[in-house]
Amino acid sequence: MPLTIIPVTTKKEMKQFICFNYALYKDSPYAVPELYTDVRDTLDPNKNAAFEFCEAQPFIALRDGEVVGRIVAIINHKANSVWNKKAVRFGWVDFIDDVEVVDALFATVEQWGRERGMTEAHGPLGFTDFDPEGMLVEGFDRIGTMATIYNYPYYPVHLERMGYVKDVDWMEYLLTAPEALPEKHARITRIVKEKYGLRVVKYTSHSKLARERGVAIFELLNEAYADLYGFSALSPKQIQQYINSYLPLLDLRLVPIIVDKNDNLIGFGVLLPSLAKAFQKARGFMFPFGWWHLVKALKWNSTQTTEMLLVAVKPEYQGKGAVALIFDDIIPVHNNLGYKWSESNPELESNSKMQAQWDYFERENHKRRRAYMKKI
């Protein structure tokens, strides 16, 4: 039957766009569906502050009235300016294993980008680093996380067939929690505390954390992640959006805040109980019963795995042992709560400073994901 690619402009088409992913992966034990409302709001210019400096257009591929593929074309003008690129990003990309469908989807994104002066396409990427990014190229038999993309093995085959090449890779590790902080880390912790006057601060109130440290946390992210692939600094409006959206979900026992002797924020870590199984049970929707699975995972430790969402340290303290303080606090809490493993989530393979942190932990490099690039 004839294939058509149409821009998503109506609520019905947005529903088709989001639900195609659920249908495509309904039988997969590894895919973790995003929440319907999260995808909808992320792609809504009235709700996503990233549209201050981005433009985007979702598309769906239809054959005989049935959705057979989807993709979003994005231009992050701020990132393009920072990295001196003319790049159109593609994200939220899914398709059946069909050459015609894949070629049509990517031809549409490439043409959309060329019409706006872009000279290359790369992805999968979102609006910012807080969106899922990177196509899975290894680890197809491992369950995903709530912060990452799962895709079938035929995805990268099609990308490479079309002439897309590796731009960067991210690694993901499954870490086994040690019974205690490794001796080298413990020694570094003592030295760092004495030399720099650093200490750990913990909060028990989400509102107090947001009030006292919320803006500083995301401003620190802007500093710490400035040199990472494709990063663009979060705007004040984005920062407030993330404070409101994400801080209330955190288990504050797993959020060590590192401050100096003047109480200035210099680093932090954020772990969260794995929500992968809960998201699978929710099937993309909070109601009628999806909320229960998420609450159970967040509040009653129904999993033995955590996800290491964020670790950030001010640039002037990177490589000086400040991260050891984060582990010194988290490991005993992690163990006392009954967790056995932690997912590192994606780390650039070139980020040697971060890779070195795992040298003293039992770890398995169990996933690899890739950003592809093509001149258009």
Side-chain angles (χ1 to χ4, degrees):
M1 300 298 293
L3 178 74
T4 57
I5 308 292
I6 66 169
V8 172
T9 59
T10 68
K11 289 183 178 179
K12 178 183 177 181
E13 290 163 354
M14 179 57 70
K15 184 177 181 179
Q16 290 176 299
F17 176 94
I18 299 172
C19 291
F20 173 67
N21 175 270
Y22 303 158
L24 188 64
Y25 290 97
K26 63 182 175 63
D27 296 323
S28 170
Y30 310 117
V32 178
E34 289 185 281
L35 288 177
Y36 184 97
T37 51
D38 284 353
V39 182
R40 182 197 64 195
D41 292 351
T42 298
L43 298 176
D44 187 342
N46 297 314
K47 294 185 178 180
N48 186 354
F51 277 93
E52 290 180 307
F53 51 86
C54 293
E55 56 181 305
Q57 178 60 61
F59 297 93
I60 52 176
L62 296 170
R63 181 180 282 152
D64 196 26
E66 179 183 354
V67 180
V68 290
R70 69 173 192 172
I71 201 166
V72 180
I74 303 167
I75 299 176
N76 183 323
H77 294 287
K78 184 189 290 187
N80 279 349
S81 176
V82 169
W83 296 97
N84 193 29
K85 288 183 176 291
K86 293 183 178 180
V88 56
R89 301 179 171 198
F90 60 88
W92 288 274
V93 55
D94 287 303
F95 44 78
I96 63 171
D97 189 5
D98 184 293
V99 169
E100 182 187 24
V101 172
V102 179
D103 288 357
L105 284 170
F106 280 86
T108 300
V109 167
E110 292 165 13
Q111 180 62 28
W112 188 89
R114 283 194 296 267
E115 290 171 354
R116 289 157 179 80
M118 301 299 104
T119 59
E120 63 184 65
H122 64 158
L125 295 168
F127 295 88
T128 73
D129 276 15
F130 283 83
D131 297 318
E133 56 189 12
M135 182 171 287
L136 196 66
V137 295
E138 294 177 9
F140 300 106
D141 60 346
R142 300 300 179 93
I143 190 170
T145 70
M146 71 172 190
T148 59
I149 298 166
Y150 182 83
N151 55 264
Y152 289 126
Y154 63 78
Y155 279 44
V157 175
H158 279 292
L159 267 289
E160 291 162 18
R161 175 187 58 77
M162 292 185 296
Y164 281 85
V165 297
K166 171 185 172 181
D167 206 5
V168 298
D169 275 10
W170 291 268
M171 315 300 293
E172 293 178 49
Y173 297 97
L174 183 64
L175 306 166
T176 300
E179 293 183 1
L181 188 71
E183 177 53 35
K184 180 171 182 177
H185 277 76
R187 185 171 67 253
I188 293 172
T189 297
R190 293 191 295 269
I191 293 172
V192 170
K193 285 181 177 179
E194 294 173 5
K195 184 175 182 178
Y196 301 110
L198 304 184
R199 59 190 175 89
V200 175
V201 174
K202 299 294 279 288
Y203 283 81
T204 57
S205 165
H206 291 89
S207 60
K208 186 176 181 181
L209 173 63
R211 184 172 63 252
E212 294 184 358
R213 307 281 184 184
V215 172
I217 284 172
F218 287 99
E219 288 179 342
L220 190 153
L221 278 176
N222 281 342
E223 288 186 70
Y225 289 6
D227 294 331
L228 297 184
Y229 177 80
F231 183 78
S232 62
L234 300 174
S235 69
K237 188 174 180 180
Q238 282 181 289
I239 288 174
Q240 195 57 55
Q241 179 177 307
Y242 288 133
I243 289 172
N244 296 338
S245 299
Y246 293 122
L247 290 193
L249 298 176
L250 301 182
D251 183 339
L252 296 182
R253 296 171 296 182
L254 295 170
V255 185
I257 305 292
I258 311 300
V259 299
D260 64 16
K261 59 185 177 181
N262 297 316
D263 202 44
N264 297 312
L265 178 70
I266 67 99
F268 65 90
V270 176
L271 271 72
L272 198 68
S274 174
L275 299 179
K277 292 290 188 182
F279 272 64
Q280 286 181 331
K281 293 175 181 177
R283 302 188 182 197
F285 296 92
M286 289 291 285
F287 300 100
F289 303 115
W291 65 271
W292 167 249
H293 300 298
L294 297 178
V295 168
K296 186 178 178 182
L298 286 168
K299 301 297 184 182
W300 292 304
N301 299 353
S302 63
T303 176
Q304 292 184 309
T305 304
T306 58
E307 295 183 22
M308 193 171 296
L309 296 183
L310 293 169
V311 174
V313 174
K314 288 182 75 70
E316 57 264 38
Y317 285 93
Q318 291 176 8
K320 295 182 178 179
V323 173
L325 273 73
I326 295 174
F327 295 139
D328 182 56
D329 179 86
I330 279 183
I331 287 174
V333 175
H334 196 271
N335 291 342
N336 289 339
L337 292 174
Y339 299 117
K340 294 183 178 181
W341 302 279
S342 188
E343 287 259 15
S344 70
N345 271 320
E347 300 170 4
L348 285 168
E349 64 177 350
S350 60
N351 190 349
S352 57
K353 289 182 180 179
M354 198 64 216
Q355 305 292 327
Q357 302 301 325
W358 313 131
D359 287 348
Y360 303 93
F361 294 86
E362 182 182 340
R363 64 176 178 175
E364 178 187 359
N365 180 5
H366 70 150
K367 297 175 194 169
R368 179 187 290 264
R369 58 188 63 252
R370 181 164 297 164
Y372 285 92
M373 187 274 289
K374 178 184 175 183
K375 297 293 184 182
I376 60 172

